Amino acid sequence: MKSHLITAEDTIYDIITRYPETKKRLLELSPRYEKLNNPVLFETVARFTTVQKAAQMVGIYLREMLYQLNDAIGLGEEYLQKEKEINGTGMVINIEQNLSPPFW
C-alpha cells in the first residue's frame, strides 16, 4: 500500500490503523498519548480526534506534529517540500518568522 501524506484533518484512529508505526512516534511526542494504549479509548475517542485536535490537546505545534507523523511513515521530506511550496505562495505564515503582535 502506497503511503500518502498525513494531514491535519486525518483522525488519529485512521492514521494508527493505516500506519501502526505512528503510534510509537505519538507516544514519544507526549506521555498524554499513553491513553492510545487503552483499547476502549482508542476505539472511541481516537475515531473523532483529528491530528489538529491531538496537537492542541498536548500543546504541540501542528506543523511539528505533522512532520513527525509523516516522518514516521517515511514521508518527512515530502511533507517539508509541500510546506515550502505552500509557504512560497504566501498562503501560510511560517511559524519561524518573528512576527510582531498586531497594533490592536
XYZ file of all heavy atoms in Angstrom:
852
model
N 0.842 -1.180 0.000
C 0.000 0.000 0.000
C 0.884 1.239 0.000
O 1.804 1.359 0.799
C -0.906 -0.033 1.233
C -1.601 1.267 1.476
S -2.978 1.230 2.632
C -2.264 0.703 4.134
N 0.596 2.170 -0.899
C 1.371 3.401 -1.006
C 0.930 4.378 0.086
O -0.247 4.583 0.324
C 1.155 4.026 -2.381
C 1.978 5.274 -2.605
C 1.726 5.825 -3.985
C 2.535 7.031 -4.327
N 2.895 7.947 -3.302
N 1.899 4.971 0.746
C 1.621 5.947 1.792
C 1.235 7.280 1.161
O 1.713 7.627 0.092
C 2.853 6.150 2.666
O 3.218 4.958 3.296
N 0.362 7.994 1.835
C 0.059 9.358 1.402
C 0.276 10.280 2.585
O 0.263 9.844 3.741
C -1.367 9.467 0.845
C -2.436 9.446 1.886
N -2.917 8.282 2.440
C -3.117 10.448 2.479
C -3.848 8.573 3.325
N -3.989 9.883 3.379
N 0.512 11.542 2.320
C 0.791 12.498 3.377
C -0.344 12.563 4.390
O -1.525 12.592 4.026
C 1.006 13.896 2.795
C 2.347 14.162 2.136
C 2.353 15.554 1.521
C 3.483 14.011 3.119
N 0.039 12.579 5.648
C -0.924 12.743 6.734
C -1.233 14.231 6.840
O -0.333 15.080 6.782
C -0.327 12.204 8.041
C -0.124 10.683 7.927
C -1.195 12.567 9.232
C 0.663 10.062 9.065
N -2.514 14.547 6.987
C -2.944 15.942 7.064
C -3.567 16.232 8.427
O -3.848 15.323 9.206
C -3.987 16.267 5.983
O -5.198 15.556 6.284
C -3.489 15.896 4.594
N -3.809 17.498 8.694
C -4.394 17.937 9.959
C -5.804 17.388 10.164
O -6.257 17.226 11.298
C -4.421 19.462 10.024
N -6.484 17.064 9.073
C -7.863 16.592 9.161
C -7.981 15.082 9.360
O -9.055 14.577 9.674
C -8.648 16.990 7.898
C -8.825 18.485 7.740
C -7.585 19.166 7.176
O -6.810 18.518 6.442
O -7.372 20.348 7.493
N -6.890 14.351 9.172
C -6.919 12.897 9.382
C -7.158 12.613 10.852
O -6.694 13.354 11.727
C -5.594 12.253 8.956
C -5.402 12.240 7.452
O -6.398 12.157 6.723
O -4.246 12.315 7.012
N -7.867 11.521 11.137
C -8.095 11.161 12.533
C -6.962 10.279 13.032
O -6.326 9.554 12.263
C -9.432 10.426 12.739
O -9.383 9.159 12.086
C -10.609 11.255 12.255
N -6.749 10.341 14.319
C -5.703 9.532 14.949
C -5.998 8.048 14.734
O -5.094 7.262 14.449
C -5.585 9.873 16.449
C -5.189 11.337 16.643
C -4.623 8.929 17.156
C -3.868 11.726 16.019
N -7.254 7.664 14.813
C -7.640 6.267 14.602
C -7.241 5.797 13.200
O -6.620 4.751 13.041
C -9.146 6.099 14.802
C -9.624 4.689 14.575
C -9.603 3.762 15.601
C -10.082 4.281 13.326
C -10.025 2.458 15.401
C -10.496 2.982 13.112
C -10.475 2.075 14.152
O -10.883 0.789 13.943
N -7.585 6.584 12.200
C -7.262 6.206 10.814
C -5.754 6.116 10.587
O -5.271 5.211 9.917
C -7.865 7.203 9.819
C -9.371 7.083 9.715
O -9.921 6.026 10.086
O -10.008 8.056 9.261
N -5.023 7.054 11.158
C -3.574 7.076 10.972
C -2.930 5.842 11.590
O -2.137 5.149 10.952
C -2.972 8.360 11.573
C -3.427 9.576 10.774
C -1.451 8.281 11.606
C -3.172 10.879 11.471
N -3.281 5.572 12.846
C -2.661 4.428 13.533
C -3.107 3.113 12.916
O -2.313 2.173 12.809
C -2.953 4.469 15.043
C -2.241 5.668 15.656
C -2.517 3.172 15.719
C -2.542 5.887 17.128
N -4.347 3.039 12.475
C -4.831 1.822 11.837
C -4.093 1.580 10.523
O -3.696 0.456 10.219
C -6.353 1.912 11.588
O -7.002 2.129 12.848
C -6.887 0.647 10.965
N -3.901 2.625 9.759
C -3.233 2.522 8.460
C -1.719 2.383 8.606
O -1.089 1.643 7.872
C -3.568 3.757 7.624
C -3.297 3.589 6.147
C -3.783 4.750 5.291
N -5.014 5.351 5.747
C -5.177 6.675 5.954
N -4.211 7.509 5.729
N -6.328 7.147 6.362
N -1.153 3.119 9.546
C 0.297 3.143 9.746
C 0.604 2.899 11.225
O 0.797 3.857 11.990
C 0.890 4.494 9.334
C 0.439 5.002 7.989
C -0.353 6.139 7.886
C 0.816 4.356 6.814
C -0.755 6.625 6.653
C 0.422 4.835 5.580
C -0.374 5.965 5.506
O -0.779 6.452 4.291
N 0.658 1.658 11.668
C 0.874 1.359 13.095
C 2.143 1.977 13.678
O 2.206 2.262 14.870
C 0.947 -0.169 13.128
C 0.283 -0.627 11.879
C 0.481 0.460 10.869
N 3.146 2.230 12.845
C 4.394 2.812 13.333
C 4.215 4.233 13.875
O 5.069 4.732 14.623
C 5.477 2.779 12.247
C 5.165 3.571 10.991
C 4.382 2.822 9.910
O 3.625 1.892 10.235
O 4.529 3.187 8.736
N 3.110 4.888 13.528
C 2.881 6.249 14.006
C 2.535 6.280 15.491
O 2.758 7.292 16.152
C 1.766 6.948 13.212
O 0.568 6.176 13.299
C 2.171 7.150 11.762
N 2.014 5.192 16.008
C 1.654 5.155 17.433
C 2.894 5.356 18.292
O 2.872 6.127 19.254
C 0.976 3.836 17.774
C 0.511 3.761 19.212
C -0.229 2.460 19.452
C -0.702 2.350 20.867
N -1.409 1.084 21.101
N 3.980 4.700 17.942
C 5.229 4.854 18.693
C 5.684 6.307 18.677
O 6.110 6.857 19.698
C 6.313 3.952 18.113
C 7.622 4.053 18.849
C 8.664 3.138 18.245
C 9.935 3.271 19.066
N 11.115 3.319 18.303
N 5.587 6.952 17.522
C 6.012 8.354 17.412
C 5.141 9.246 18.288
O 5.632 10.149 18.959
C 5.958 8.806 15.958
C 6.557 10.160 15.682
C 8.059 10.249 15.925
N 8.829 9.373 15.083
C 9.431 9.737 13.963
N 9.384 10.988 13.566
N 10.101 8.861 13.260
N 3.831 8.989 18.295
C 2.943 9.774 19.148
C 3.316 9.610 20.618
O 3.351 10.590 21.370
C 1.486 9.370 18.931
C 0.847 9.865 17.648
C -0.481 9.163 17.400
C 0.650 11.371 17.694
N 3.598 8.385 21.021
C 3.981 8.126 22.410
C 5.290 8.837 22.764
O 5.473 9.270 23.904
C 4.091 6.628 22.660
C 2.772 5.849 22.546
C 3.027 4.356 22.640
C 1.771 6.302 23.591
N 6.181 8.989 21.810
C 7.437 9.717 22.032
C 7.191 11.221 22.151
O 7.916 11.913 22.864
C 8.418 9.462 20.890
C 8.953 8.053 20.847
C 9.722 7.745 19.567
O 9.789 8.607 18.664
O 10.259 6.627 19.473
N 6.168 11.722 21.470
C 5.882 13.159 21.487
C 5.310 13.639 22.815
O 5.589 14.757 23.243
C 4.919 13.529 20.352
C 5.490 13.502 18.951
C 4.394 13.691 17.919
C 6.557 14.579 18.800
N 4.494 12.808 23.458
C 3.878 13.228 24.718
C 3.397 12.021 25.514
O 2.763 11.118 24.951
C 2.683 14.144 24.447
O 1.989 14.431 25.651
N 3.632 12.041 26.814
C 3.122 10.954 27.654
C 1.595 10.923 27.710
O 1.002 9.898 28.021
C 3.727 11.240 29.029
C 4.294 12.604 28.980
C 4.456 12.976 27.540
N 0.958 12.029 27.376
C -0.512 12.052 27.386
C -1.106 11.120 26.333
O -2.249 10.704 26.449
C -1.026 13.473 27.169
C -0.728 14.346 28.406
C -1.330 15.689 28.302
N -2.781 15.627 28.294
C -3.550 16.652 27.979
N -3.010 17.808 27.641
N -4.860 16.542 27.977
N -0.317 10.779 25.323
C -0.821 9.871 24.294
C -0.814 8.413 24.743
O -1.231 7.540 24.005
C -0.043 10.030 22.989
C -0.261 11.368 22.318
C 0.811 12.110 21.857
C -1.535 11.891 22.145
C 0.623 13.330 21.234
C -1.734 13.119 21.532
C -0.646 13.827 21.086
O -0.837 15.042 20.477
N -0.360 8.149 25.973
C -0.400 6.785 26.521
C -1.835 6.242 26.515
O -2.041 5.042 26.490
C 0.151 6.752 27.948
C 1.645 6.898 28.034
C 2.402 5.662 27.557
O 1.873 4.546 27.642
O 3.533 5.835 27.086
N -2.789 7.138 26.541
C -4.200 6.727 26.530
C -4.556 5.955 25.263
O -5.546 5.240 25.219
C -5.104 7.944 26.693
C -4.934 8.605 28.044
C -5.742 9.873 28.158
C -5.456 10.525 29.501
N -6.111 11.805 29.643
N -3.731 6.086 24.231
C -3.970 5.322 22.997
C -3.800 3.822 23.225
O -4.278 3.019 22.426
C -3.021 5.787 21.894
C -3.213 7.204 21.394
C -2.067 7.611 20.479
C -4.551 7.334 20.687
N -3.131 3.451 24.311
C -2.960 2.035 24.638
C -4.222 1.417 25.233
O -4.328 0.207 25.323
C -1.782 1.848 25.605
C -0.461 2.122 24.928
O -0.276 1.799 23.763
N 0.455 2.725 25.655
N -5.156 2.262 25.630
C -6.430 1.776 26.162
C -7.344 1.463 24.972
O -7.749 2.374 24.243
C -7.060 2.853 27.055
C -8.389 2.443 27.624
O -9.195 1.772 26.997
N -8.632 2.877 28.848
N -7.691 0.188 24.754
C -8.487 -0.186 23.578
C -9.836 0.519 23.490
O -10.280 0.870 22.393
C -8.683 -1.692 23.723
C -7.693 -2.145 24.727
C -7.332 -0.970 25.564
N -10.470 0.765 24.624
C -11.776 1.436 24.608
C -11.628 2.879 24.147
O -12.380 3.344 23.281
C -12.449 1.362 25.994
C -13.734 2.177 26.014
C -12.727 -0.087 26.377
N -10.648 3.585 24.701
C -10.429 4.972 24.285
C -9.988 5.047 22.831
O -10.400 5.947 22.097
C -9.400 5.641 25.185
C -9.857 5.932 26.605
C -8.713 6.523 27.417
C -11.047 6.863 26.616
N -9.147 4.106 22.426
C -8.698 4.109 21.038
C -9.867 3.928 20.088
O -9.991 4.617 19.086
C -7.646 3.012 20.807
C -7.153 2.971 19.393
C -6.331 3.969 18.904
C -7.521 1.941 18.547
C -5.880 3.943 17.585
C -7.072 1.910 17.233
C -6.256 2.916 16.757
N -10.763 3.001 20.408
C -11.911 2.718 19.534
C -12.958 3.832 19.556
O -13.770 3.917 18.644
C -12.570 1.389 19.923
C -11.763 0.176 19.555
C -11.655 -0.040 18.050
O -12.594 0.309 17.301
O -10.621 -0.565 17.616
N -12.954 4.659 20.567
C -13.971 5.713 20.644
C -13.381 7.094 20.368
O -13.631 7.681 19.324
C -14.672 5.697 22.017
O -13.691 5.812 23.046
C -15.477 4.429 22.198
N -12.566 7.579 21.281
C -12.051 8.950 21.187
C -11.158 9.148 19.965
O -11.266 10.152 19.266
C -11.307 9.334 22.492
C -10.696 10.715 22.376
C -12.252 9.253 23.673
N -10.288 8.194 19.692
C -9.349 8.350 18.573
C -10.062 8.416 17.225
O -9.541 8.997 16.280
C -8.333 7.206 18.570
N -11.250 7.848 17.134
C -12.008 7.905 15.871
C -12.441 9.317 15.509
O -12.666 9.628 14.346
C -13.251 7.011 15.942
C -12.952 5.550 15.852
C -14.263 4.752 15.821
N -14.006 3.341 15.855
C -13.883 2.570 14.768
N -13.984 3.118 13.574
N -13.661 1.288 14.885
N -12.582 10.167 16.523
C -13.092 11.520 16.283
C -12.052 12.607 16.505
O -12.334 13.783 16.305
C -14.304 11.777 17.183
C -15.400 10.778 16.973
C -15.591 9.731 17.862
C -16.208 10.851 15.849
C -16.583 8.788 17.654
C -17.204 9.913 15.626
C -17.393 8.881 16.539
N -10.862 12.210 16.922
C -9.818 13.189 17.204
C -8.931 13.355 15.980
O -8.281 12.419 15.533
C -8.967 12.743 18.410
O -9.829 12.535 19.526
C -7.921 13.783 18.741
N -8.916 14.562 15.442
C -8.069 14.852 14.288
C -6.641 15.131 14.772
O -6.404 15.381 15.960
C -8.569 16.083 13.519
O -8.500 17.219 14.385
C -9.982 15.887 12.995
N -5.713 15.129 13.850
C -4.325 15.460 14.176
C -4.272 16.865 14.760
O -3.573 17.119 15.745
C -3.413 15.337 12.932
C -2.026 15.867 13.215
C -3.364 13.897 12.446
N -5.019 17.773 14.181
C -5.027 19.152 14.667
C -5.469 19.204 16.124
O -4.838 19.852 16.956
C -5.939 20.014 13.808
C -5.933 21.465 14.218
C -6.629 22.350 13.201
O -7.163 21.882 12.217
N -6.609 23.637 13.448
N -6.536 18.511 16.449
C -7.047 18.499 17.823
C -6.067 17.805 18.762
O -5.844 18.259 19.883
C -8.416 17.810 17.857
C -9.099 17.927 19.184
C -9.264 19.359 19.569
C -10.695 19.684 19.810
N -10.867 21.044 20.300
N -5.462 16.716 18.309
C -4.495 15.991 19.137
C -3.286 16.862 19.450
O -2.748 16.806 20.556
C -4.070 14.708 18.432
N -2.853 17.661 18.495
C -1.720 18.565 18.725
C -2.109 19.641 19.743
O -1.338 19.950 20.659
C -1.276 19.205 17.411
N -3.297 20.182 19.612
C -3.770 21.208 20.541
C -3.875 20.650 21.957
O -3.552 21.342 22.918
C -5.138 21.734 20.114
C -5.119 22.587 18.885
C -6.522 22.954 18.410
O -7.509 22.327 18.800
N -6.602 23.952 17.558
N -4.326 19.425 22.077
C -4.534 18.816 23.393
C -3.252 18.758 24.216
O -3.313 18.837 25.444
C -5.115 17.408 23.245
C -6.552 17.384 22.797
S -7.186 15.757 22.346
C -6.478 14.669 23.528
N -2.114 18.601 23.574
C -0.856 18.472 24.318
C 0.079 19.656 24.110
O 1.199 19.660 24.605
C -0.132 17.145 23.988
C -0.978 15.960 24.394
C 0.258 17.063 22.542
N -0.348 20.651 23.356
C 0.444 21.853 23.167
C 1.626 21.704 22.219
O 2.667 22.312 22.419
N 1.452 20.905 21.173
C 2.486 20.729 20.157
C 2.076 21.529 18.927
O 0.914 21.529 18.544
C 2.642 19.244 19.777
C 3.094 18.431 20.979
C 3.606 19.063 18.616
C 3.108 16.943 20.736
N 3.035 22.213 18.310
C 2.726 22.920 17.068
C 2.213 21.914 16.042
O 2.786 20.832 15.880
C 3.959 23.613 16.492
C 4.350 24.867 17.224
C 5.544 24.924 17.935
C 3.540 25.999 17.194
C 5.915 26.076 18.612
C 3.900 27.146 17.861
C 5.084 27.180 18.564
O 5.446 28.329 19.224
N 1.167 22.278 15.349
C 0.562 21.395 14.356
C 1.577 20.960 13.310
O 1.655 19.788 12.948
C -0.636 22.074 13.698
C -1.308 21.293 12.569
C -1.822 19.936 13.067
C -2.436 22.106 11.962
N 2.372 21.894 12.805
C 3.344 21.541 11.765
C 4.386 20.548 12.276
O 4.823 19.674 11.545
C 4.022 22.785 11.223
C 3.102 23.582 10.352
C 3.857 24.713 9.723
N 2.976 25.455 8.860
C 3.095 26.745 8.635
N 4.062 27.426 9.188
N 2.254 27.344 7.847
N 4.788 20.700 13.522
C 5.752 19.765 14.103
C 5.129 18.371 14.178
O 5.762 17.376 13.847
C 6.193 20.227 15.490
C 7.113 19.256 16.206
C 8.448 19.036 15.510
O 8.884 19.896 14.732
O 9.066 17.992 15.756
N 3.888 18.318 14.615
C 3.209 17.025 14.712
C 3.049 16.393 13.339
O 3.281 15.194 13.173
C 1.854 17.182 15.380
C 1.141 15.888 15.607
S 0.349 15.954 17.174
C -0.559 14.457 17.130
N 2.657 17.181 12.370
C 2.501 16.651 11.008
C 3.835 16.149 10.463
O 3.891 15.094 9.832
C 1.912 17.717 10.081
C 0.426 17.985 10.284
C -0.001 19.228 9.505
C -0.404 16.783 9.867
N 4.900 16.901 10.731
C 6.212 16.440 10.273
C 6.562 15.118 10.944
O 6.998 14.175 10.285
C 7.311 17.468 10.545
C 8.668 16.864 10.290
C 9.108 16.662 8.986
C 9.463 16.419 11.337
C 10.328 16.061 8.728
C 10.686 15.815 11.090
C 11.108 15.631 9.789
O 12.301 15.005 9.542
N 6.390 15.034 12.247
C 6.753 13.824 12.987
C 5.965 12.611 12.491
O 6.531 11.527 12.305
C 6.528 14.022 14.495
C 7.481 14.993 15.132
C 8.916 14.479 15.133
O 9.182 13.288 15.164
N 9.855 15.404 15.099
N 4.674 12.770 12.279
C 3.853 11.645 11.808
C 4.242 11.239 10.389
O 4.354 10.048 10.085
C 2.367 11.996 11.887
C 1.816 12.128 13.306
C 0.397 12.685 13.260
C 1.851 10.795 14.025
N 4.439 12.231 9.527
C 4.843 11.908 8.154
C 6.239 11.302 8.114
O 6.503 10.395 7.328
C 4.733 13.148 7.262
C 3.303 13.405 6.850
O 2.706 12.602 6.148
N 2.736 14.497 7.322
N 7.125 11.778 8.981
C 8.463 11.214 9.053
C 8.409 9.748 9.502
O 9.170 8.920 9.011
C 9.326 12.039 10.009
C 10.768 11.597 10.011
O 11.388 11.590 8.924
O 11.283 11.261 11.096
N 7.493 9.440 10.406
C 7.358 8.063 10.895
C 6.974 7.087 9.779
O 7.294 5.901 9.849
C 6.330 7.998 12.024
N 6.311 7.596 8.743
C 5.926 6.714 7.623
C 6.823 6.915 6.408
O 6.518 6.461 5.308
C 4.438 6.889 7.236
C 4.125 8.306 6.751
C 3.532 6.494 8.393
C 2.744 8.470 6.156
N 7.933 7.618 6.615
C 8.900 7.798 5.542
C 8.601 8.935 4.589
O 9.184 9.003 3.499
N 7.711 9.849 4.980
C 7.351 10.963 4.106
C 7.704 12.325 4.706
O 7.118 13.344 4.332
C 5.852 10.912 3.771
C 5.367 9.704 2.983
C 3.856 9.765 2.771
C 6.081 9.605 1.655
N 8.670 12.339 5.609
C 9.060 13.596 6.240
C 9.563 14.624 5.249
O 9.172 15.789 5.288
N 10.433 14.200 4.342
C 10.976 15.126 3.340
C 9.881 15.607 2.387
O 9.870 16.773 1.993
C 12.114 14.471 2.568
C 13.375 14.274 3.389
C 13.912 15.579 3.949
O 13.967 16.576 3.202
O 14.275 15.598 5.137
N 8.981 14.719 2.018
C 7.873 15.115 1.135
C 6.982 16.146 1.826
O 6.532 17.117 1.220
C 7.052 13.884 0.732
C 6.016 14.183 -0.317
C 5.287 12.933 -0.800
O 5.888 11.835 -0.801
O 4.110 13.060 -1.175
N 6.732 15.947 3.129
C 5.937 16.909 3.891
C 6.633 18.276 3.909
O 5.999 19.305 3.683
C 5.693 16.421 5.319
C 5.084 17.490 6.181
C 3.742 17.829 6.051
C 5.855 18.214 7.080
C 3.183 18.848 6.806
C 5.306 19.233 7.832
C 3.972 19.537 7.697
O 3.421 20.550 8.434
N 7.944 18.285 4.186
C 8.682 19.547 4.221
C 8.647 20.247 2.867
O 8.505 21.473 2.799
C 10.124 19.307 4.654
C 10.328 18.897 6.109
C 11.789 18.583 6.367
C 9.816 19.954 7.061
N 8.766 19.492 1.801
C 8.702 20.067 0.456
C 7.332 20.700 0.204
O 7.234 21.794 -0.345
C 9.006 19.001 -0.595
C 9.073 19.539 -2.003
C 10.149 20.605 -2.166
O 11.241 20.511 -1.630
N 9.830 21.636 -2.905
N 6.294 20.011 0.624
C 4.935 20.531 0.455
C 4.763 21.829 1.248
O 4.169 22.787 0.757
C 3.929 19.476 0.909
C 2.520 19.785 0.573
C 2.298 19.564 -0.882
C 0.845 19.354 -1.144
N 0.552 19.339 -2.558
N 5.303 21.872 2.455
C 5.245 23.087 3.269
C 5.964 24.238 2.585
O 5.481 25.362 2.589
C 5.867 22.843 4.653
C 4.943 22.213 5.646
C 3.799 23.130 6.044
O 4.023 24.311 6.348
O 2.659 22.642 6.053
N 7.113 23.967 1.988
C 7.858 25.009 1.282
C 7.050 25.547 0.113
O 7.030 26.743 -0.138
C 9.202 24.477 0.785
C 10.209 24.280 1.868
C 11.498 23.707 1.302
C 12.477 23.356 2.398
N 13.681 22.704 1.878
N 6.380 24.656 -0.606
C 5.556 25.089 -1.740
C 4.426 25.983 -1.266
O 4.156 27.025 -1.862
C 4.972 23.872 -2.465
C 5.987 23.061 -3.225
C 5.418 21.758 -3.762
O 4.181 21.588 -3.753
O 6.212 20.904 -4.168
N 3.778 25.606 -0.187
C 2.661 26.395 0.342
C 3.177 27.729 0.853
O 2.614 28.774 0.573
C 1.923 25.625 1.465
C 1.208 24.417 0.869
C 0.939 26.533 2.183
C 0.637 23.466 1.894
N 4.276 27.708 1.599
C 4.833 28.947 2.140
C 5.304 29.882 1.037
O 5.245 31.089 1.189
C 5.980 28.653 3.103
C 5.489 28.068 4.399
O 4.381 28.343 4.830
N 6.305 27.247 5.016
N 5.765 29.334 -0.075
C 6.227 30.145 -1.194
C 5.119 30.956 -1.837
O 5.368 31.992 -2.427
N 3.866 30.521 -1.697
C 2.740 31.247 -2.283
C 2.231 32.351 -1.377
O 1.397 33.145 -1.770
C 1.560 30.298 -2.586
O 1.070 29.764 -1.351
C 1.972 29.189 -3.516
N 2.712 32.365 -0.138
C 2.237 33.376 0.805
C 0.918 33.003 1.453
O 0.356 33.787 2.193
N 0.442 31.785 1.189
C -0.849 31.385 1.751
C -0.754 30.992 3.222
O -1.705 31.100 3.961
C -1.432 30.215 0.954
C -1.808 30.589 -0.458
S -2.242 29.175 -1.490
C -3.384 28.306 -0.498
N 0.404 30.549 3.651
C 0.588 30.108 5.022
C 1.746 30.876 5.628
O 2.785 31.015 5.003
C 0.880 28.581 5.071
C 1.173 28.136 6.484
C -0.271 27.799 4.479
N 1.578 31.375 6.825
C 2.637 32.103 7.505
C 3.560 31.088 8.163
O 3.117 30.198 8.868
C 2.059 33.063 8.564
C 1.198 34.119 7.892
C 3.181 33.709 9.379
C 0.439 34.994 8.839
N 4.830 31.240 7.953
C 5.824 30.356 8.535
C 5.934 30.650 10.025
O 6.167 31.799 10.412
C 7.165 30.572 7.829
C 8.180 29.530 8.206
O 8.051 28.869 9.238
N 9.187 29.385 7.377
N 5.778 29.639 10.880
C 5.791 29.864 12.328
C 7.148 30.298 12.835
O 7.251 30.820 13.937
C 5.301 28.624 13.096
C 6.193 27.416 12.818
C 3.859 28.340 12.816
C 5.877 26.205 13.661
N 8.202 30.102 12.072
C 9.526 30.518 12.494
C 9.751 32.016 12.306
O 10.706 32.570 12.825
C 10.619 29.750 11.729
C 10.782 28.324 12.184
C 9.728 27.400 11.615
O 9.324 27.576 10.465
O 9.287 26.499 12.342
N 8.884 32.664 11.551
C 9.048 34.099 11.336
C 8.824 34.833 12.649
O 7.975 34.474 13.454
C 8.043 34.610 10.305
C 8.333 34.150 8.897
C 7.256 34.613 7.936
O 6.168 34.984 8.348
N 7.565 34.572 6.663
N 9.579 35.870 12.878
C 9.444 36.666 14.081
C 8.438 37.778 13.784
O 8.791 38.827 13.283
C 10.802 37.236 14.487
C 10.748 37.879 15.845
O 9.735 37.799 16.539
N 11.837 38.517 16.221
N 7.192 37.542 14.092
C 6.137 38.495 13.786
C 5.818 39.338 15.012
O 5.743 38.842 16.122
C 4.876 37.757 13.343
C 5.018 36.875 12.113
C 3.725 36.108 11.859
C 5.338 37.728 10.900
N 5.632 40.637 14.802
C 5.239 41.487 15.904
C 3.725 41.365 16.098
O 2.984 41.087 15.153
C 5.630 42.937 15.617
O 5.046 43.365 14.420
N 3.253 41.605 17.323
C 1.814 41.490 17.572
C 1.063 42.593 16.834
O 1.623 43.639 16.522
C 1.700 41.658 19.090
C 2.971 42.277 19.532
C 4.009 41.953 18.496
N -0.205 42.360 16.535
C -0.996 43.394 15.858
C -1.111 44.646 16.719
O -1.047 44.568 17.947
C -2.351 42.731 15.649
C -2.394 41.568 16.552
C -0.994 41.188 16.857
N -1.283 45.789 16.085
C -1.329 47.052 16.815
C -2.509 47.153 17.769
O -2.451 47.851 18.753
C -1.343 48.237 15.832
C -2.605 48.348 15.037
C -3.659 49.106 15.488
C -2.739 47.672 13.827
C -4.817 49.204 14.750
C -3.888 47.763 13.100
C -4.945 48.532 13.543
N -3.571 46.405 17.514
C -4.749 46.494 18.375
C -4.616 45.529 19.498
O -5.221 45.479 20.462
C -6.041 46.244 17.627
C -5.966 45.150 16.606
C -5.619 45.277 15.310
C -6.206 43.747 16.815
N -5.630 44.056 14.686
C -5.997 43.084 15.584
C -6.573 42.981 17.900
C -6.143 41.726 15.422
C -6.724 41.626 17.731
C -6.505 41.017 16.505
